[in-house]
Amino acid sequence: MAGVLLGVTGGIAAYKACTLVRLLVRAGHDVYPIITAGAERFVAAETFFALARTTQSGDPYPHLQRADLLVVAPLTANTLARLAHGLADDLLTEAALAHSGPVLVAPAMNSRMWMHPATQANVRVLLSRGVELVGPVEGELAEGEEGIGRMAEPEEILTRVEAILVAGTRTPGSLSGLRVVVSAGGTREPLDAVRYLGNRSSGRMGVALVEEAQRRGADVTLLAANLTVPAPLGITVVETPTAEDLEREALACADADVIVMAAAVADYRLPSPSASKRPKDGAPWVIELAPTTDVLRALGAARRPGQVLVGFAADGADSGLERAREKRRAKRADLFVFNDISRPDIGFDAPDNEVVLISEDGEREVGKAPKSVIAAAILDEAERVLSKR
Ligand code: CTP
């Protein structure tokens, strides 16, 4: 159980903060709401206090002092800017300045406001101070528009709260000073100017790993292969749309301390795709595909002592686990992450995963959990291997 200060700022997503309060209370946390005047235009402060099973205190400072975590959800562009600049013009911003523990914010605003360089600069300031962001995500916005700017769902925010509280028991910056490279997404191999061979990987698992490595203080590079989710801010992103790009860029960072190959790399490509669109002629289109380089195998062959290499094996349940064990040995990786693709509720494009972590000295099952929790388990295991070196 932790003491959570929940700041709610003025946006329509304030109504979702009510659900967040309920989830936090149900998870056993002691929630103290700080409702800005803007938020009160949408939901009365009384609602939050009733859901938090507490009363609005004349002197909130004892609550502020006891808090383990400050969460601001939703966070408007205006309060984001006020936090970045250290203003203290209402109770929430005063509390933010007085609070010395972790801070998690869930921005919610119009896409144009989110993308504006001023907001992005403010976000970078907050990230550089160790503030964690959850969302915003793509979806329907208040004005009926679609785009990025929607507040992350309360369940996702709760998951991040739990991850931060668990991480609080771990040494902060456990990967600080180390370079971590993560490949994510799925490569696309051109067939002609418009068509490609690809696969279903969204990049969510890789992005969760990037966020976790960043949280642990690593210098992170993301090799991004056609992500369908936004890349986190504050890291180096190298676009690697094809297997050839990924091979070149991964080998260029082959001296990193930890390399996680979470991307689904195409095993075959068309050697000479047409530069224009192939017209349809009714006849079968016969193509001959050539194998691509196995990037992880190449990294394994060239590995330096002390480095940790992590591979993924998304496979069917029956022989999949055994195949994953064999792949780990063959590719000279330290750790392989197996997940069962015959399950529709985990893996591809799903927010959750369930994996088996296979290493030299044993196996560990990680039960179904959000990808952020799985990412933490994978990096715990990678750190364990690192510490033995
Ligand atoms: N991988 C890679 N380069 C490739 C293919 C795969 O680096 N050309 C990496 C993946 O990123 C993953 C691991 O190897 O970390 C296992 O990938 P997977 O596709 O499961 O294994 P393959 O060796 O390609 O075997 P198969 O497709 O036959 O299952």
Side-chain angles (χ1 to χ4, degrees), residues 180-236:
V180 175
V181 175
V182 179
S183 72
T187 65
R188 290 178 182 173
E189 309 308 317
L191 295 179
D192 66 13
V194 292
R195 304 180 178 97
Y196 60 82
L197 281 173
N199 66 70
R200 291 173 53 195
S201 182
S202 63
R204 275 179 218 276
M205 191 63 241
V207 165
L209 280 156
V210 166
E211 287 171 339
E212 185 59 26
Q214 192 180 20
R215 216 170 282 141
R216 295 179 186 206
D219 168 11
V220 190
T221 300
L222 168 64
L223 305 179
N226 311 294
L227 302 184
T228 62
V229 290
L233 298 167
I235 53 148
T236 307

Side-chain angles (χ1 to χ4, degrees), residues 7-274:
V8 181
T9 70
I12 183 66
Y15 82 92
K16 285 209 234 165
C18 298
T19 307
L20 178 59
V21 177
R22 294 181 68 165
L23 293 175
L24 287 165
V25 168
R26 205 178 300 157
H29 301 304
D30 185 5
V31 181
Y32 190 82
I34 304 179
I35 312 303
T36 64
E40 282 232 59
R41 289 192 292 120
F42 295 90
V43 185
E46 277 314 308
T47 309
F48 293 100
F49 283 96
L51 290 169
R53 299 179 195 153
T54 184
T55 47
Q56 191 158 10
S57 165
D59 176 14
Y61 287 93
H63 293 279
L64 307 191
Q65 277 160 359
R66 275 204 308 269
D68 299 294
L69 173 67
L70 168 65
V71 179
V72 187
L75 174 66
T76 57
N78 182 42
T79 300
L80 197 159
R82 292 192 297 144
L83 293 178
H85 292 273
L87 300 191
D89 54 359
D90 65 2
L91 183 61
L92 175 58
T93 47
E94 277 177 24
L97 283 185
H99 174 74
S100 55
V103 180
L104 173 68
V105 298
M109 65 195 75
N110 168 289
S111 314
R112 285 182 296 278
M113 291 171 84
W114 172 250
M115 296 310 294
H116 194 284
T119 303
Q120 290 296 308
N122 290 333
V123 168
R124 279 192 292 277
V125 169
L126 293 185
L127 287 171
S128 73
R129 288 191 202 129
V131 170
E132 296 204 19
L133 252 76
V134 52
V137 297
E138 301 239 0
E140 195 185 328
L141 303 173
E143 304 78 8
E145 291 176 42
E146 288 278 328
I148 183 155
R150 205 176 143 86
M151 187 177 89
E153 290 303 320
E155 292 74 13
E156 171 77 14
I157 301 174
L158 176 71
T159 302
R160 286 291 290 275
V161 166
E162 302 294 6
I164 291 170
L165 294 172
V166 170
T169 56
R170 197 189 295 129
T171 335
S174 51
L175 288 175
S176 91
L178 298 185
R179 175 139 189 246
V180 175
V181 175
V182 179
S183 72
T187 65
R188 290 178 182 173
E189 309 308 317
L191 295 179
D192 66 13
V194 292
R195 304 180 178 97
Y196 60 82
L197 281 173
N199 66 70
R200 291 173 53 195
S201 182
S202 63
R204 275 179 218 276
M205 191 63 241
V207 165
L209 280 156
V210 166
E211 287 171 339
E212 185 59 26
Q214 192 180 20
R215 216 170 282 141
R216 295 179 186 206
D219 168 11
V220 190
T221 300
L222 168 64
L223 305 179
N226 311 294
L227 302 184
T228 62
V229 290
L233 298 167
I235 53 148
T236 307
V237 181
V238 182
E239 297 292 338
T240 54
T242 67
E244 209 174 8
D245 297 324
L246 189 47
E247 177 190 354
R248 185 186 62 249
E249 299 300 338
L251 295 180
C253 342
D255 62 341
D257 299 287
V258 179
I259 305 184
V260 187
M261 285 295 297
V265 191
D267 291 322
Y268 295 93
R269 61 189 279 267
L270 188 61
S272 313
S274 161

Side-chain angles (χ1 to χ4, degrees), residues 261 263 265-267 292-296 311-315 323 327 331 336:
M261 285 295 297
V265 191
D267 291 322
T292 57
T293 302
D294 189 313
V295 183
L296 183 56
F312 272 71
D315 212 326
R323 273 164 48 81
K327 281 179 196 172
K331 301 193 191 200
F336 243 68

